[in-house]
Amino acid sequence: MKGKPTSLDIAYLTGFSQATVSRALRKSPLVSEETRRKVQAVAQELNYKVDKNASNLRTQHSGTLALLLFEDPTADDSHINPFFVSMLGSITRACAQRGYDLLISFQQSSDDWHADYADSKKADGIILLGYGDYITYCDKAEKLIRQGTHFVRWGAVLPDQPDTSIGCDNFSGGREVTAHLLEQGCTRIAFLGEATSHYPEFFERYHGYEAALEEAGLKADKALQVDAESTQRSGHAAITRLIENGASFDGVFAASDLIAIGAMQALEEQGLQVPADIAVVGFDDVPSATFVHPPLTTVRQDTTEAGAILVDNLLSLINGEAVETAILPTRLVVRRSSLHKSKSD
């Protein structure tokens, strides 16, 4: 054999047609597992490499998926949300396992990103991670749908949403972590985070918070809800506002870990101890939650499973298959920041 091995060489050595060999190398479901193994064994023996460029030209696919990360500039000029970093890792691994390259683009939600990607051949489909104001996002999502763009989103799962999304059970997570604070003896629990339909993930966490209070015979106090975006500075400012307003509270449910970490810094500056004076919980379980002092009680989302489902759903859409939205379960992770009972133990 002279030169680089080709699929014709594999066909000759296996006795299969070139079409069957090509399908086997693409892992097509039209080829049996036994045939696929024989073809791959010969390909490995010949050190055969698939010419992805030629294959993509034939199939009109780029072999690439795009991941668009959204964050609008914030007052503290923060970098990417650390929760998104965990998601990025799981999505990258899922793409590699399925033979796809991943194009990563950092966007501001105010940009005209839907126009940039709708007609380009940069990628076969788009994964959206973060989207800013949900109401504004929906208009752009509708445009993507009209343009025939394949895309999936990580975020809130809502009844009338225009797209396909994968998200965690924000309501159950919010209810469980609030119930935990109640079990620790807290009765005046502040909620830090936007609680409107513009930010549905935080809003669902707030609804879970309300449900847990109601189940305990308590009513949510609007004076204890303070808007906050997902930054440490915003959490710090929210606690400062509560204290300046003379609010009485013994627990804090922050809608994200970054808000919670900023809140704990503000409480310490005010001479209040966590958790002896104020119990604090967050949401997301970012890596730094383990290392702050005291370690932060939070709600964990399964980023590994989420990344795999996002990629699989997008590939299904690209292949013309129907997909459904999915809600993944959350898990309460208890650490010292919320163990309020300890002050009386």
Side-chain angles (χ1 to χ4, degrees):
M1 187 181 302
K2 297 180 180 179
K4 292 174 61 177
T6 67
S7 59
L8 283 172
D9 297 319
I10 299 174
Y12 174 78
L13 292 172
T14 59
F16 299 127
S17 68
Q18 185 184 19
T20 297
V21 168
S22 295
R23 292 191 189 99
L25 292 171
R26 293 199 311 270
K27 300 181 180 179
S28 168
L30 299 176
V31 177
S32 70
E33 184 62 33
E34 182 181 358
T35 298
R36 187 180 298 113
R37 282 200 300 268
K38 288 180 180 178
V39 169
Q40 289 175 340
V42 172
Q44 187 173 7
E45 184 179 339
L46 296 179
N47 197 28
Y48 173 82
K49 302 294 182 185
V50 176
D51 186 340
K52 290 183 69 175
N53 291 330
S55 176
N56 291 339
L57 284 173
R58 288 193 298 271
T59 61
Q60 297 298 304
H61 285 174
S62 67
T64 300
L65 303 181
L67 174 63
L68 270 58
L69 292 159
F70 293 90
E71 286 264 308
D72 274 331
T74 56
D76 58 358
D77 195 27
S78 62
H79 298 293
I80 183 173
N81 188 321
F83 174 73
F84 288 166
V85 175
S86 299
M87 288 289 291
L88 170 59
S90 64
I91 291 168
T92 302
R93 285 191 296 272
C95 285
Q97 291 166 356
R98 290 150 183 78
Y100 271 76
D101 295 324
L102 185 66
L103 173 67
I104 302 170
S105 179
F106 189 82
Q107 304 282 329
Q108 291 184 14
S109 59
S110 57
D111 289 345
D112 199 19
W113 48 267
H114 62 282
D116 293 339
Y117 280 83
D119 298 319
S120 75
K121 302 300 180 183
K122 294 177 182 178
D124 300 328
I126 302 172
I127 298 172
L128 304 175
L129 198 54
Y131 44 82
D133 186 313
Y134 180 75
I135 306 301
T136 302
Y137 159 77
C138 283
D139 291 336
K140 295 181 178 181
E142 293 282 5
K143 291 180 182 178
L144 286 178
I145 293 169
R146 289 196 298 270
Q147 292 164 340
T149 302
H150 303 299
F151 70 103
V152 295
R153 168 178 58 86
W154 168 262
V157 177
L158 302 171
D160 299 322
Q161 65 188 47
D163 56 5
T164 299
S165 66
I166 306 299
C168 81
D169 193 340
N170 291 291
F171 177 84
S172 293
R175 182 170 60 184
E176 185 177 16
V177 77
T178 304
H180 168 71
L181 287 176
L182 292 166
E183 290 169 0
Q184 296 303 307
C186 298
T187 57
R188 298 276 298 166
I189 302 171
F191 181 89
L192 310 184
E194 298 274 359
T196 71
S197 57
H198 288 268
Y199 300 92
E201 288 169 289
F202 281 11
F203 205 14
E204 282 297 296
R205 294 169 195 179
Y206 180 76
H207 287 321
Y209 156 87
E210 285 185 310
L213 291 175
E214 185 176 345
E215 289 165 6
L218 301 173
K219 188 175 181 179
D221 184 347
K222 289 295 183 182
L224 294 181
Q225 186 273 315
V226 183
D227 289 346
E229 59 188 10
S230 194
T231 67
Q232 291 178 219
R233 176 170 291 186
S234 193
H236 187 286
I239 286 294
T240 302
R241 196 173 314 135
L242 279 173
I243 293 174
E244 288 177 348
N245 291 341
S248 172
F249 59 100
D250 53 9
V252 170
F253 173 15
S256 78
D257 287 348
L258 293 183
I259 295 173
I261 292 169
M264 288 199 296
Q265 292 172 336
L267 289 169
E268 182 180 359
E269 291 170 8
Q270 295 288 336
L272 296 168
Q273 294 185 343
V274 176
D277 297 316
I278 311 287
V280 178
V281 299
F283 204 108
D284 288 337
D285 198 24
V286 299
S288 57
T290 306
F291 301 106
V292 293
H293 181 74
L296 180 64
T297 291
T298 185
V299 177
R300 178 176 298 167
Q301 305 179 66
D302 191 340
T303 57
T304 300
E305 184 179 3
I309 294 177
L310 283 167
V311 172
D312 286 342
N313 276 10
L314 181 55
L315 294 179
S316 294
L317 288 174
I318 292 168
N319 293 327
E321 302 167 6
V323 299
E324 295 182 355
T325 59
I327 300 177
L328 304 182
T330 57
R331 184 165 71 85
L332 177 66
V333 180
V334 177
R335 301 190 180 104
R336 270 201 308 122
S337 71
S338 64
L339 299 182
H340 199 41
K341 284 181 177 178
S342 62
K343 71 177 184 177
S344 60
D345 289 348

